[in-house]
Amino acid sequence: MTALVCTEPGAFDYKEMVPPVLTPGHAIVQIKRIGICGTDLHAFEGTQPYFSYPRILGHELSGDLIEADGAEGFVPGEAITIIPYFNCGSCIACRNGKPNCCTQINVFGVHSDGGMAEYVSVPSYSLLKSNGLSYDELALVEPLAIGAHGVRRANIAAGEFVLVIGAGPIGLGTMEFARIAGATVIALDINDQRLQFCREKLGIEHTINAASDNVIQRLKAITNNDMPTVVIDATGNRQAINNALQYLAHGGRFVLIGLQKDEISFSHPEFHKRESTLMSSRNATRKDFETVMAAMKSGLVNPANYIKHRAKFSEVKEVFNSWLIPATGVIKAMVEME
């Protein structure tokens, strides 16, 4: 079979490899779609934490089940997606129902070779039935689940003002599920094209350009001087994270979905006087995947909004660089296996 390997930052190479064989507790999947996410882009750039080379990227996946061991209720030939966070099942996080932050977590396409290949072997427990969703829709479940998990972590209540910083794919999904939770969502970014997408495609009424607007003044005007009770960072940008505390209401929650390599820092007095809650949000759980799939089925989320660029698997090496350029307008690039 053919796989696409990121051999080092900035370099891809197609390689012929031996297809996986069935092993106990695992499933063989023929890949049909691969969504390109920020992790893939950052890995290609060389800025992704927890990463080493060479590596086969790809964890936003859909495909057909070929065969499986220990996958009760699944049949060969059916369409599936996977939860690409493989966990140990026995550590304190797993025992407490948080396999998304397992102490020994293995994220497919990050810690181990992922889905940019014709066939993959994955743990059978990671399989999810399609529930009638298309290959495109199934490959979008994972990135949207990241946002759904962050919203669930924030415990957002109807009527709250929620500021989402970063209008990339993860931030957009976060906005969707904050809206579904009943919040008044405010989008903050420096890209007018992305902010226009928020308004026109997601129905986000309040958008702020951090490069040209007075952010604090705009937030005060929108929230009647209260400021947002929830601020969620989906940028993974150190400066954006360090600046965000000033946007938070007293008594508010600051949730970090985005991830960057360095330390974060902010004024302890500013944090303390607000009695702020700071939390991270890592990956997602099966519950979040099921929430996303139900939202797609019910029409609360329209997957067609996201996919703006497509490529055949054989074209990825040539076009991948272009997906790094904001001017190309990429929201979600989708790779189709041939």
Side-chain angles (χ1 to χ4, degrees), residues 78-142:
E78 70 174 296
I80 57 89
T81 187
I82 68 165
I83 302 173
Y85 327 122
F86 308 150
N87 61 289
C88 73
S90 60
C91 73
I92 185 169
C94 291
R95 297 197 310 271
N96 287 329
K98 294 179 69 68
N100 56 298
C101 61
C102 167
T103 62
Q104 304 298 317
I105 199 162
N106 178 347
V107 179
F108 202 47
V110 178
H111 303 109
S112 61
D113 285 339
M116 286 194 182
E118 294 179 83
Y119 297 90
V120 298
S121 172
V122 297
S124 295
Y125 66 73
S126 70
L127 299 176
L128 278 169
K129 286 181 168 290
S130 69
N131 291 328
L133 297 178
S134 69
Y135 291 131
D136 281 354
E137 291 168 331
L138 289 170
L140 280 170
V141 173
E142 191 273 343

Side-chain angles (χ1 to χ4, degrees), residues 167-219:
I170 299 300
L172 296 173
T174 303
M175 294 175 204
E176 293 251 60
F177 285 94
R179 171 182 55 78
I180 291 168
T184 297
V185 180
I186 307 164
L188 178 66
D189 202 282
I190 59 173
N191 185 318
D192 277 329
Q193 188 176 14
R194 289 288 180 93
L195 294 173
Q196 182 180 0
F197 179 93
C198 293
R199 294 189 296 270
E200 295 181 354
K201 298 296 185 181
L202 304 189
I204 305 299
E205 179 182 356
H206 304 290
T207 62
I208 303 173
N209 188 317
S212 57
D213 294 333
N214 185 311
V215 178
I216 291 178
Q217 285 186 5
R218 288 289 313 282
L219 288 174

